[in-house]
Amino acid sequence: MTDLLPAWPLLGAFLAASLVLALTPGPAVVYLLTRTLAQGRRAGLASVLGVALGNLGNALGAAIGLAALFAVSSLAFTVVKYAGAAYLVYLGVQALRGASSAIAEADAPAEVPPAATGRVLRDGFLVALLNPKTALFFAAFLPQFTSASASPLGQSVLLGAIFVAVAATTDALYVLTASVLASRLRRIGSARRWGRYATGTAFIGLGAWTALSGTRAKV
């Protein structure tokens, strides 16, 4: 496996670039923070795992040529793009519908029950996977650190996995920080209800941003 990694100076540059990109807040970080503030640390960490798996799927897709398909087929790109935007809007509507029922239970803990963790993970996975711009990002970013002396596919898969691991680590740090803030906000009686309104609005806004934005975006 080590023969698939670039030489250390180039690998160091890759790790540094990955860390900077991962630390820079983008739509995925907004999604994770919104989940955490509305539903607690368990939901946030489950979302981190889901987003990581979705991003890994996009990295694999980029490695086998899915990004090339999106680059030459505007229809394929548009279909996947709007599917992801629609799913975000759906999550936002569901959160807004639940806001009214949260009025009577505003003091209840926001943590999702263990049985619902799988659903939260699934949502994070689909939100990340249904973002074709992520595959295009990997297709543009990873080749900068590959060489002709080893398998391009193997190098792309390995580097993509490393990038996803770095991003998942920084995302988890964002979530853990937000969970501390969330625990303090829960002391305010109406925080949970307004948190649901904020969640719904943020998801719908992310969906609209995804639908209206161009082809270039951070993971």
Side-chain angles (χ1 to χ4, degrees):
M1 181 177 292
T2 56
D3 60 331
L4 297 177
L5 291 173
W8 173 243
L10 190 58
L11 178 59
F14 170 77
L15 293 174
S18 298
L19 183 60
V20 170
L21 289 170
L23 284 173
T24 304
V29 172
V30 174
Y31 172 80
L32 294 170
L33 293 180
T34 301
R35 274 291 193 190
T36 304
L37 293 174
Q39 296 179 289
R41 182 172 57 185
R42 182 187 293 119
L45 292 176
S47 296
V48 169
L49 179 58
V51 168
L53 292 175
N55 284 338
L56 184 60
N58 274 311
L60 294 175
I64 63 176
L66 184 60
L69 171 63
F70 288 149
V72 300
S73 173
S74 59
L75 177 61
F77 179 89
T78 301
V79 168
V80 176
K81 173 182 176 180
Y82 284 115
Y87 192 70
L88 280 169
V89 172
Y90 165 77
L91 293 177
V93 171
Q94 291 295 99
L96 291 177
R97 290 179 60 186
S100 58
S101 64
I103 296 176
E105 51 186 43
D107 293 325
E111 286 284 356
V112 297
T117 304
R119 184 172 68 249
V120 174
L121 188 152
R122 178 204 64 192
D123 289 344
F125 172 74
L126 291 176
V127 165
L129 188 67
L130 294 176
N131 183 4
K133 289 175 287 186
T134 306
L136 292 175
F137 164 79
F138 281 121
F141 179 67
L142 298 181
Q144 311 305 318
F145 303 94
T146 60
S147 68
S149 60
S151 166
L153 177 60
Q155 291 180 89
S156 296
V157 170
L158 182 57
L159 291 176
I162 292 174
F163 181 93
V164 169
V166 171
T169 301
T170 59
D171 287 346
L173 293 176
Y174 274 118
V175 165
L176 293 175
T177 302
S179 67
V180 175
L181 177 60
S183 65
R184 295 177 181 176
L185 289 176
R186 286 191 205 110
R187 299 172 187 171
I188 304 174
S190 60
R192 189 173 182 227
R193 173 166 57 97
W194 291 111
R196 285 180 178 269
Y197 283 123
T199 298
T201 301
F203 284 169
I204 292 173
L206 281 174
W209 183 89
T210 300
L212 298 175
S213 65
T215 59
R216 293 174 178 263
K218 293 196 286 54
V219 177

